[in-house]
Amino acid sequence: MNTQVRRRLFLLALIGAISPSVASGQTSVHYYRYELLTRAQESTYVGEVPSDVRGRHHAVETDAQGHIMRTVVIRDGQEVSERVYSFVPDGKAASEYETFTGSEKTGRVRIQRNADGGRTREDYFTVNGALTGYTLYSYRADSVEATSYTVEGKKRAV
C-alpha cells in the first residue's frame, strides 16, 4: 500500500475517532482564495473559488457544527501543505493540529487558550514529539503581539 493511501486511511480513522459528526459523513469542503487571521488568531477564509481554480488557494473541510477539521494549501492542483485539527470534547476551538508537507507528516502544534478562546500559547513538536519552540500571544487594545521562542527560551521573532 503506498504512502498516500496509507495516510488517507489514517486521517479518516483519526477524524472518525475525533468527531462523531465527521464519522457519519456530515462534513463539507469549500475552496477559498485567501486565509485571514482573526483577533483570536484563528484562520478564516474568504473569496470562495471553484475546486479546480489555478494558482494558490485553500481547501477547507468543516464538520456539521462549522468547526474547521482540515485545511489544505493547494498550488496549481498540487497539495502543498495540510493541517488536521483536533478538539477536546465539547471544545469550540481546536486544541491542536498536525502539520503535513505534501504527504509527509512534519509535526504537531498544541494550542493553549484564554477564557475568551484566544490563543495564548502554541507549542511546536516534531513528528517524534520533541519540542522545537513555542509562541506566546499578548492581547492589547488594538493589536495582538506574537513572540516566538526557541526551546531554550531565546526570542526568535516578534
Side-chain angles (χ1 to χ4, degrees):
M1 186 181 301
N2 74 30
T3 305
Q4 187 73 10
V5 172
R6 219 181 357 232
R7 180 171 154 252
R8 296 279 180 214
L9 290 173
F10 170 77
L11 288 175
L12 286 173
L14 175 68
I15 291 171
I18 294 169
S19 172
S21 63
V22 173
S24 64
Q26 299 174 357
T27 64
S28 62
V29 177
H30 293 269
Y31 299 85
Y32 300 93
R33 179 65 70 193
Y34 305 106
E35 175 185 27
L36 307 172
L37 282 177
T38 66
R39 178 167 173 78
Q41 302 305 297
E42 297 302 317
S43 293
T44 187
Y45 297 87
V46 297
E48 193 160 359
V49 295
S51 62
D52 60 351
V53 71
R54 301 282 303 156
R56 185 178 191 267
H57 61 285
H58 306 267
V60 179
E61 182 177 353
T62 57
D63 67 7
Q65 289 78 40
H67 297 122
I68 294 176
M69 303 302 294
R70 177 178 171 259
T71 61
V72 180
V73 174
I74 301 169
R75 186 175 301 125
D76 295 327
Q78 300 296 314
E79 290 187 7
V80 176
S81 64
E82 180 176 356
R83 292 181 180 174
V84 177
Y85 295 87
S86 300
F87 294 79
V88 295
D90 298 324
K92 294 182 180 181
S95 58
E96 68 179 38
Y97 60 89
E98 293 182 320
T99 59
F100 297 84
T101 299
S103 62
E104 181 181 346
K105 183 176 176 182
T106 55
R108 181 175 56 90
V109 178
R110 185 175 52 215
I111 304 166
Q112 295 177 30
R113 299 181 180 280
N114 60 24
D116 296 327
R119 293 179 190 213
T120 57
R121 181 180 174 123
E122 291 181 337
D123 292 301
Y124 306 101
F125 299 92
T126 65
V127 174
N128 297 327
L131 182 67
T132 62
Y134 59 95
T135 299
L136 299 178
Y137 295 92
S138 175
Y139 292 84
R140 305 189 192 309
D142 61 348
S143 64
V144 179
E145 184 175 282
T147 307
S148 297
Y149 297 90
T150 65
V151 173
E152 297 80 21
K154 182 179 176 186
K155 192 182 290 187
R156 276 190 205 161
V158 177

